[in-house]
Amino acid sequence: MNRLERITTILLLLQSRKKMTAQQLADHFETSVRTIYRDVRVLEEAGVPVGAEAGIGYFLSEGYSLPPVLFTKEEAAAMITGEKLLQQFADASINKEFASAMHKVRAVLRSSDKDFVETLEQSISVHRVRSGDLSSEDFPNRFMSSIQVALVKQQVIELEYYSHHSEETTKRIIEPIGLSFLSGSWHLFAWCRLRKDVRDFRADRIKNLRTLDETYNKQKLPKLEEVAKLFNNPKDIQRIVIRVNNAFLKEASQMKYYLGMVEETKHEHHTEMVFYYTPLTQFARWMLMWGEHITVVEPKELKIQLTKMIGALHKNLG
């Protein structure tokens, strides 16, 4: 990046953020703080109202803004790719807002680049493996935007939440810590007043959500990075070993990575797969779909769980 590009980018960064220190800018451009000082001086000499405060950083004076930005077709292509991913991995509220932003991006594209972007949009497809265990009517999955606002404003949230483990819906009052994308789903980590502990709430299992007027002190809660690491490596995770008939291997392979497979060994008539997963009840439900094509090697608790489920199913069938 030449100096002119760097100075222009510094101006864009200062317009897009409330403040930035010289060290943050130096880290961004992988250059020295002394170089940043010289670049900012060039902006000041050009009439850009750059303010500076010791210990706070650089900022642009209130009311100053650049003319509308023109995107290159490469930048627009990157955002089109992001939009396709969001359509599968974000909820309805975020998709709506991002779609609105993309309309504005398309509006400022050069005429010669619009055909490029439209063709590219038709040439990218993202598909997500979904469990299909939750009804979209019962779980509307449209609360991410409200959660984001609550996180910034430190507002308490009331929600109705379905627990897959207990198969019950409970009302919770929570103090949000942050959002994290884990194992194909968005998770809201929060202090739960009902359980008096930090809890993990999957966003697509929230049946209803209401932001309260009450606020909380986020600084008193654990950091998001610490909580996400803890829940992503649960203590009660189970080592599961199963054998799959090779004739059924293709069908089983469609879900093996989703279920946490870490190792497989192929033999003449079967393939042995090793998983790390929790809870056992959910893994057992998946195994019921595989029927006679699988055999449980370990743990014993999984065999017991499957036996109970099969017994209950036999009883219901009369």
Side-chain angles (χ1 to χ4, degrees):
M1 177 180 290
N2 62 42
R3 191 182 187 197
L4 179 59
E5 289 176 326
R6 187 174 64 245
I7 292 173
T8 303
T9 305
I10 289 174
L11 181 54
L12 289 171
L13 286 171
L14 291 177
Q15 182 170 267
S16 64
R17 303 189 186 186
K18 192 173 182 180
K19 61 183 182 300
M20 286 193 78
T21 65
Q23 187 60 59
Q24 287 173 326
L25 289 166
D27 291 343
H28 180 86
F29 294 105
E30 297 182 352
T31 189
S32 67
V33 171
R34 186 182 298 273
T35 297
I36 297 300
Y37 290 155
R38 290 197 294 263
D39 291 344
V40 171
R41 194 174 298 117
V42 170
L43 287 172
E44 292 172 335
E45 291 172 355
V48 178
V50 181
E53 189 173 340
I56 300 297
Y58 293 115
F59 56 89
L60 292 180
S61 299
E62 191 71 29
Y64 179 83
S65 63
L66 290 171
V69 176
L70 281 177
F71 295 94
T72 67
K73 65 174 180 288
E74 290 80 11
E75 290 169 336
M79 286 185 279
I80 290 293
T81 305
E83 183 181 30
K84 292 290 184 178
L85 287 167
L86 275 176
Q87 288 171 356
Q88 293 298 322
F89 293 99
D91 76 350
S93 64
I94 297 298
N95 283 329
K96 178 182 177 183
E97 300 301 332
F98 196 83
S100 176
M102 286 304 300
H103 288 319
K104 296 175 183 177
V105 170
R106 292 182 179 92
V108 298
L109 286 176
R110 300 178 181 88
S111 297
S112 58
D113 292 338
K114 288 182 179 179
D115 288 340
F116 173 89
V117 169
E118 289 176 7
T119 302
L120 178 64
E121 188 173 15
Q122 297 168 8
S123 305
I124 297 177
S125 178
V126 177
H127 298 278
R128 179 185 177 191
V129 176
R130 300 180 184 274
S131 62
D133 57 344
L134 301 178
S135 164
S136 59
E137 289 187 13
D138 293 335
F139 302 89
N141 198 18
R142 59 168 181 252
F143 305 114
M144 288 279 286
S145 184
S146 297
I147 292 170
Q148 290 176 335
V149 172
L151 281 166
V152 174
K153 294 185 176 181
Q154 300 184 50
Q155 291 176 292
V156 177
I157 288 176
E158 178 186 79
L159 53 80
E160 293 178 34
Y161 184 74
Y162 173 79
S163 170
H164 203 293
H165 182 70
S166 64
E167 298 184 345
E168 294 179 344
T169 300
T170 57
K171 184 171 288 188
R172 309 288 186 95
I173 305 293
I174 63 170
E175 299 173 10
I177 294 172
L179 287 161
S180 185
F181 191 77
L182 300 170
S183 303
S185 300
W186 282 101
H187 294 248
L188 169 61
F189 297 114
W191 176 266
C192 178
R193 293 183 178 178
L194 177 65
R195 305 302 184 197
K196 294 180 172 57
D197 199 359
V198 175
R199 285 291 185 267
D200 171 9
F201 301 96
R202 255 183 57 172
D204 58 357
R205 291 181 185 164
I206 298 175
K207 299 188 71 171
N208 200 11
L209 181 146
R210 184 167 67 97
T211 304
L212 305 181
D213 293 331
E214 181 184 355
T215 59
Y216 66 99
N217 187 353
K218 194 177 179 182
Q219 299 301 318
K220 293 183 178 180
L221 299 177
K223 300 295 183 184
L224 174 61
E225 293 78 10
E226 300 169 1
V227 175
K229 187 180 295 184
L230 176 65
F231 279 89
N232 200 27
N233 298 280
K235 295 179 180 179
D236 59 344
I237 196 165
Q238 294 269 4
R239 183 177 189 268
I240 299 170
V241 182
I242 65 172
R243 288 174 183 161
V244 180
N245 294 341
N246 286 339
F248 187 70
L249 192 59
K250 183 178 179 180
E251 287 79 0
S253 294
Q254 295 176 1
M255 293 304 301
K256 63 184 181 183
Y257 295 115
Y258 178 82
L259 293 172
M261 191 201 76
V262 295
E263 182 184 335
E264 68 177 348
T265 306
K266 195 167 184 178
H267 300 278
E268 184 179 357
H269 300 294
H270 71 271
T271 296
E272 190 164 285
M273 297 181 180
V274 180
F275 298 81
Y276 283 92
Y277 198 86
T278 185
L280 286 179
T281 51
Q282 189 169 334
F283 195 91
R285 289 191 182 97
W286 283 108
M287 291 193 65
L288 285 176
M289 296 191 301
W290 297 351
E292 73 277 12
H293 301 291
I294 56 96
T295 303
V296 177
V297 179
E298 61 175 276
K300 182 180 178 181
E301 292 79 7
L302 180 57
K303 297 179 181 181
I304 295 172
Q305 187 68 50
L306 277 167
T307 301
K308 289 181 179 178
M309 288 182 175
I310 292 170
L313 180 60
H314 186 268
K315 182 179 179 181
N316 290 339
L317 292 174

